[in-house]
Amino acid sequence: MRIKNWDFALLGLGSLVLFGLTVGRDTNREWKKYQKRYYQMEYSQAMARGGKGPMEPLRYKINQIMIPGTDIVDRCTTCHLGFDNTEAGFEDNPYKAHPNPYQHPPEDFGCPICHGGQGLATTVADAHGERENWQYPILKSDYVQASCSKCHQDQELIKDAPLLLKGKELFAQYECLGCHSLRGEGEKDAPDLTNEGDKKRHEFDFGKYDSPKLTQADWQFMHLKDPQVFNPDSEMPNLGLSDEEAKALTIYVLSLTEKETPETLIYAKKP
Amino acid sequence: MAKFNDLIKGLRETQVWRSIFRHGYAPTERNQSLAISSNFFLHLHPAKVRRHALKFTYTLGLGGLSFFLFLVLTVTGILLMIYYVPSTKEAYNNMKDLEFVISYGLLLRNLHRWSAHLMVLVVFFHMCRVFYTGGYKRPREFNWGIGVVLLLLTLFLSFTGYLLPWDQLAFWAITVGTNIASYAPILGPKIRYALLGGNIVGQNALMRFYVLHVTILPVLMGTFLAIHFWRIRKDGGISGPPIEEVGAEEEAAPAPLKTYGLMGLVKGPTPMVEKEPEDTEFTFPNLVYKEIKYAMLIMIILHVFSFFFNAPLEELADPEHTPNPAKAPWYFLGLQELVSYSAFLGGVLAPALAVIGIILIPFIDRNPSGVGVWFSRERKLAIILFSIFVLTAVILTIIGTYLRGPNWGWYWPWQEWPKH
Ligand code: HEM
């Protein structure tokens, strides 16, 4: 065949290739990789336990929790598929079964209400809040305790959020309110801490340590250990805190918020 | 193969086919004319155009490109409307949904955003092209005026679209932009109030901007585009060097001219009838193929760009946290820079004078020579004056975009902005 219009042919081919690339990228979204891996792990476990038959065809789907009575939507379980699968005993994230999940059924609470992060997102970096446009990176391990006081009174947390309560004690013991103020109490020689936990990542000056990996929790911890670490002129005294104390205080400081929690989710008020 | 050809041939004979395509395919001159005149989409074109007008280096295809971008924006915009809810509670989440769950949602958004930015640039360049080739001179003064309206509509469309994602960038850019509007004496604050449906950027403002962006402005744009294109034909096709054989100017012919037998009798200058054929070529395929190829190329470039670069989306709009500096959309940063010297002068007087001045150009510069060539020597003064204006606008915009930091202080690109 003789091609008369090479330029049309090339432009057409170019468009076609681009179209193909676009379709390819859109169908291979990051979260699918995690779902595939999860179903494969499930399948090989079933085989190891004596199951038979071929693997079911994969049905990719975005798992989405819409918390009743609020406009919170979260899709963390799109990747964190094993959060309620205590039987399997998967050991790696995002497949680990959640410690203690059933006190807070995920369909009522979702995940970001305790962990922060970006519920709507379906990529790791976005969901875990490592991007500029999401200022609340996820809280990990013990630091999650910073969220409990949104909905609980102290006495309900003695067993499950010990560090938070310890932080509160230390806060009084070290007389932080000798300089700071909190909900109208204390002195005005230092920044008010009433909504310290609401501050956005970019409101903190990380000085020479600036890196997208560092979160508010890192800032607070490092600042409590050495108040001059970011700003050598800081007038906050170095209290010589141990790591454990600094961690507890960090959790407490992060828990200071003025944001409203949806009424229906608060412990005593939950219908 | 032979059978296939017979089939196609038979198909072309059917009544259905003939009712749709009213001309044959063979490349005869008659068919080439009919391809244009009997096609709704192509009949905007004359059946024949001057060879001069076909030269890419004359128009750089900028007018056509502006129109193509408008079409891309319309298509992507309509698709985006399917997902977008103009509510302060949902708009931002819709952006996230587009990015994270909707098939090709992010691509749509990128295409829409980048085309919008590009359109502002291209329409501006088109205006410069028309100026530097003297395309606004008699009889095209009016169409130049229509063009200015199109430029303003383009800017305003882009500006109203800017608010819709409801992120910090959107919120503060619109806050700053509408503040500029309020510096006008007496009317200014009222305009701002009417635009925002209140004194702050909130739900009412979002709704109004949405309605402006998806209905009022596009309809106006479509109307003025139609007038613009119609005028181009009525003004005798696009400009070019005067035609020697005829001697006098085109509009010297006062009597109705017979045009290609397609439109009947039309008043005024029409596609060169007496002057062909040496000078003209058939629009189909010469111009039409060029246009299609150009459109395909631009589409590929836009697609590649949108594939790799995401439209910006900052945090959710937060009226409590003013970014420092808060900047208007880039095409208004020249204005914002001027406003930083004097609100009234920069925000009102300068832009008003600029718009009025541009509209009046064809009536001030009445020197009829130099049409149809770039940078004609016969128009030195006009070209120098216009270039000074363009340069000033560009420099102010660059300063506002790249060299202004917190509190509108001067920062070189290599200087770091202080935190807080
Ligand atoms: C949405 C924006 C616009 C579109 C889609 C558009 C489209 C076009 C097209 C397709 C042409 C044919 C020649 C060419 O391709 O260059 C043209 C010519 C013209 N445009 Fe525009 N235009 C726009 C804005 C403007 C602006 C901002 C001005 C000036 C202020 C302007 C003034 C003119 C004039 C005077 C002509 C005739 C030029 C000549 O005959 O050489 N247009 N326009």
Side-chain angles (χ1 to χ4, degrees), chain B residues 171-212:
Chain B
F171 184 88
W172 291 101
I174 300 311
T175 303
V176 172
T178 50
N179 277 343
I180 296 180
S182 70
Y183 296 133
I186 310 167
L187 271 186
K190 294 204 162 51
I191 295 177
R192 184 171 193 270
Y193 190 90
L195 209 52
L196 298 184
N199 286 318
I200 49 151
V201 179
Q203 177 60 53
N204 287 351
L206 184 58
M207 200 63 218
R208 282 172 194 219
F209 273 55
Y210 178 70
V211 172
L212 280 168

Side-chain angles (χ1 to χ4, degrees), chain B residues 1 26 37 53 91-92 101 106 113 124 137 155 161 206 208-210 240 263 279 286 330 337 350 362 375 419:
Chain B
M1 201 63 197
S37 65
Y92 184 73
V101 293
L106 187 56
R113 174 68 73 111
F124 184 74
K137 300 195 177 197
L155 288 174
L206 184 58
R208 282 172 194 219
F209 273 55
Y210 178 70
M263 291 174 284
D279 198 27
N286 299 305
W330 63 267
E337 173 68 16
F375 306 114
K419 279 212 166 185

Side-chain angles (χ1 to χ4, degrees), chain B residues 201-268:
Chain B
V201 179
Q203 177 60 53
N204 287 351
L206 184 58
M207 200 63 218
R208 282 172 194 219
F209 273 55
Y210 178 70
V211 172
L212 280 168
H213 189 73
V214 305
T215 54
I216 299 176
L217 293 174
V219 167
L220 282 177
M221 185 75 138
T223 312
F224 278 92
L225 277 177
I227 302 176
H228 196 57
F229 296 153
W230 182 77
R231 273 310 284 239
I232 295 173
R233 298 240 4 227
K234 296 294 140 179
D235 294 342
I238 76 162
S239 59
I243 295 146
E244 261 113 61
E245 298 93 298
V246 177
E249 245 108 84
E250 282 164 37
E251 63 268 61
L257 286 172
K258 183 122 181 358
T259 67
Y260 252 81
L262 308 167
M263 291 174 284
L265 293 176
V266 185
K267 265 208 192 118

Side-chain angles (χ1 to χ4, degrees), chain A residues 5 7-8 11-12 14-15 18-19 21-23 25-26 29 31 62 71 75 118 120-123 126 132-135 200 202-205, chain B residues 89 92-93 96-105 107 168 289 292-293 296-297 300 303-304 306-308 313-316 318 321 419-420:
Chain A
N5 289 305
D7 32 13
F8 270 114
L11 288 168
S15 308
L18 261 177
F19 187 71
L21 284 174
T22 303
V23 174
R25 186 169 75 173
D26 205 79
R29 295 215 182 203
W31 55 270
I62 289 190
D71 43 18
R75 304 179 173 133
Q118 180 175 192
L120 289 167
T122 55
T123 69
D126 286 290
E132 274 292 310
N133 68 14
W134 201 262
Q135 291 293 322
K200 299 173 178 180
H202 66 48
E203 287 177 68
F204 290 96
D205 186 354
Chain B
K89 291 217 173 60
Y92 184 73
N93 289 354
K96 295 287 182 186
D97 286 352
L98 282 168
E99 175 169 1
F100 293 118
V101 293
I102 292 164
S103 301
Y104 314 109
L107 182 77
Q168 277 287 76
Y289 275 19
I292 296 175
K293 281 188 278 199
M296 284 173 86
L297 183 68
I300 290 179
H303 193 157
V304 169
S306 302
F307 192 86
F308 291 109
L313 183 69
E314 295 187 356
E315 303 154 61
L316 178 67
D318 178 356
H321 285 82
K419 279 212 166 185
H420 310 295

Side-chain angles (χ1 to χ4, degrees), chain A residues 90-233:
Chain A
F90 295 139
E91 282 175 359
D92 292 320
N93 273 322
Y95 309 121
K96 249 187 190 173
H98 199 274
N100 235 355
Y102 290 112
Q103 285 159 350
H104 303 91
E107 60 276 17
D108 289 351
F109 292 91
C111 319
I113 200 129
C114 288
H115 283 283
Q118 180 175 192
L120 289 167
T122 55
T123 69
V124 177
D126 286 290
H128 291 183
E130 289 158 14
R131 290 270 160 86
E132 274 292 310
N133 68 14
W134 201 262
Q135 291 293 322
Y136 300 100
I138 50 166
L139 296 166
K140 295 178 180 177
S141 64
D142 293 333
Y143 290 101
V144 189
Q145 293 176 22
S147 305
C148 311
S149 52
K150 281 190 216 167
C151 308
H152 287 284
Q153 301 296 319
D154 290 353
Q155 62 274 15
E156 295 153 27
L157 296 170
I158 294 169
K159 203 165 103 283
D160 296 281
L163 283 171
L164 174 66
L165 301 185
K166 181 162 172 224
K168 193 171 185 178
E169 263 167 41
L170 291 171
F171 192 78
Q173 187 185 323
Y174 282 109
E175 293 177 345
C176 308
L177 288 182
C179 300
H180 289 279
S181 54
L182 177 63
R183 295 182 199 116
E185 284 172 47
E187 302 297 322
K188 300 240 158 20
D189 300 339
D192 181 67
L193 298 178
T194 308
N195 52 10
E196 185 66 16
D198 294 337
K199 280 178 78 176
K200 299 173 178 180
R201 210 198 83 95
H202 66 48
E203 287 177 68
F204 290 96
D205 186 354
F206 286 88
K208 59 178 190 253
Y209 296 93
D210 203 8
S211 131
K213 287 268 163 232
L214 292 182
T215 64
Q216 285 97 322
D218 296 312
W219 191 93
Q220 296 293 5
F221 183 83
M222 290 163 79
H223 178 260
L224 283 164
K225 287 285 285 184
D226 173 9
Q228 281 72 39
V229 63
F230 301 116
N231 172 9
D233 303 328

